[in-house]
Amino acid sequence: MLFACLTLVVLYLSSQKILEICFPESSLQSREVISLIAPALLAFSYPFWSNSLVAEVYSLHAFFTCLIVYFLLIWKTKNDLRFLFLAAFCFGLSAGNHATVAFYLPAILFLFFIWKKNQKIKNLGITALIFLVGFSVYLYLPIRSLAEPLIDWGNPETFQNFLYQVTDRRHSEMHFWKLKEYSEENIVSQKPSVATQALGWVTKAGFVFSQLVNDLALQFTWVMVIGFIGGAVLCARKNLSLFFFLLLFAAPNAAFFVGWRAESYFPSYIVVSLFAAMFFYWFFYEKLSPPSIEATGDDNSLQSKKTTRFAAVAILTACIFWLMISNYVKADRSNSYFGETYLKKELLSLDDEAIFITEVSLFNQAYFLDVMRLRDDVAMVKSSDFLEADPASYLTERRYPELKLPDPDKYGFESREVAFEYMMEFLRENAKSRPVLFEHNWAIFRRFPIVESLLPHKNLLLKFSAQNEVFPSSSNPLEGFNEFKDWLEEELKKPGLINEPRWIQKIIYYLPSFADHFHVTGRYKEEREVLKVIYDFLGQRGEMWHLKMVDNLILDGKPKEAEIYLRKMKQVYPNKYKTFLAEGLLQNSKKNFAGAIQSYAQASKIAPDEFRPYYEKSRAVWMSGNIESARENLKVAEKNMTTLKDLKKIRNLKQLLETTR
């Protein structure tokens, strides 16, 4: 909240400075009045308002962004190098909060070489050194990592890990992901010419611009869009170097976060606000500046300008109040405790001395354990640590002195499969003396073939069975699921929860996990119960949901019911690969192998990179007696596999093919 308010103050001051540069004849009083408009619109936009109320990086990111721009503008107006050095220091320091400030570098360098006339090399060197002083905040990462905290992203204790973490290589596939996706869909050329490449860049720029405009209209109303575009044109006419600086400042941010938008666009919002300040000044003090009657001799013209000016003020005021009123309820967190109650119940329900394997609720549970100290007897392990290139560097004796850790020298960690073997040894050894409980997590269970070793326990928890225990026949497999449903119903009664969209994002990970667990363990009736809740509660009614229902009913010996869902898929999703896959499964269950193979072939033609169509086709071909063709299809399926669960299926089918030979 503090830094959000400071951002608005600095934005107000920055608006005055940019008006002073672009409208040197303007009065201080006129600049002060106009400079209030953009901060007022930003203050009550939902992303800015809501992020000022949570412990996140975005408000501080916006503050540093504003401060860097402000110091550079003062440097321009006062020609005082101290403000350039202050901007460099803040630039370095801000990198420790949000690494995407790296995108500001081209803009800052451009401005430096355009505005700095004397001793460029010397001052650039000093500026770089001061930047490094601020950037040195990163040295805290290995120091803190050596203390083995519960959350230790990238484990940056070595130079390689440090560089990996600082450059965000972990999420490299998500960098500019929406722009890449757009390019693949709309810009197709085997050997693009220079003209085609140029057209491609223009097309992508147009896409980024349109997404930014749509977001601005949604978050600020169209008044800000008009101010942004009009101000950008004015800035280009009055101070071209400043225009290119702001363009270079905002464009990489808008392109990088085009798939996220909202709070990720804060740097773009700052630039948009500065452009808007220019437009509003021009509109009110140049376009609608009421001249004296003596100067024009036209009383009607004077009255018309006054009326237009009054209407514009009224519209701006109405927009600000509209944002304030419409976003107040959404931003109000007085009675909304995001994921706090049911996740706290989950933690408190853990068995004594439990080892808790979690992922989805990591931040919440880390807070309960590290800050609130709710369960000092519990050891929490992040499941994704087992997915790292070197899991042993995360599961260390310093971090888990009370746990039994496998000898890392036995494992080369050259593959995900080896990491899984390491995980299984960890689970088996610790389960001998302590209960090992998994939190439901569809994402992890999809990657690892671990579900077969887990028994329903309670609520969101599954228990690892080292001795291949059997779930008691007298017990109800849905007991834990029903308990979780009761928790959800309690949560939904909380006022204000409807305005917390992230709450449902966690549920999206939990419910499919219940369904997957029941599917893998052959409890098809229970799986259908969960799928029905997913259908009604989450509204997931697409092709994947219908495919799961078809698959479930076939395995449960109910092909006629499966046909009902398949008919619906053919009506609603006639040309989707999952529809042909479902048809193949049904044909296969009827021993119509030729029909199944044809359906699988159609599915693989539509989705050539998917694993399952080729795998199922290989099974159908094998069952029809064509072993060689089955092997060929299995080779393609093996190339397309993405998880250890896929690998397990491949090996099982290979074994069957060898046995058949």
Side-chain angles (χ1 to χ4, degrees), residues 1 137 227 317 326 333 339 360 371 423 559 563 573 655:
M1 183 178 63
V137 69
T317 305
S326 62
R333 298 175 185 270
V360 178
V371 180
M423 176 185 184
E563 285 184 13
Y573 315 106
Q655 189 174 1

Side-chain angles (χ1 to χ4, degrees), residues 151 153 358-368 380 506:
I151 299 176
W153 300 124
T358 183
E359 188 69 34
V360 178
S361 66
L362 173 67
F363 291 118
N364 305 74
Q365 304 296 6
Y367 176 79
F368 295 146
M380 190 173 85
K506 291 210 183 291

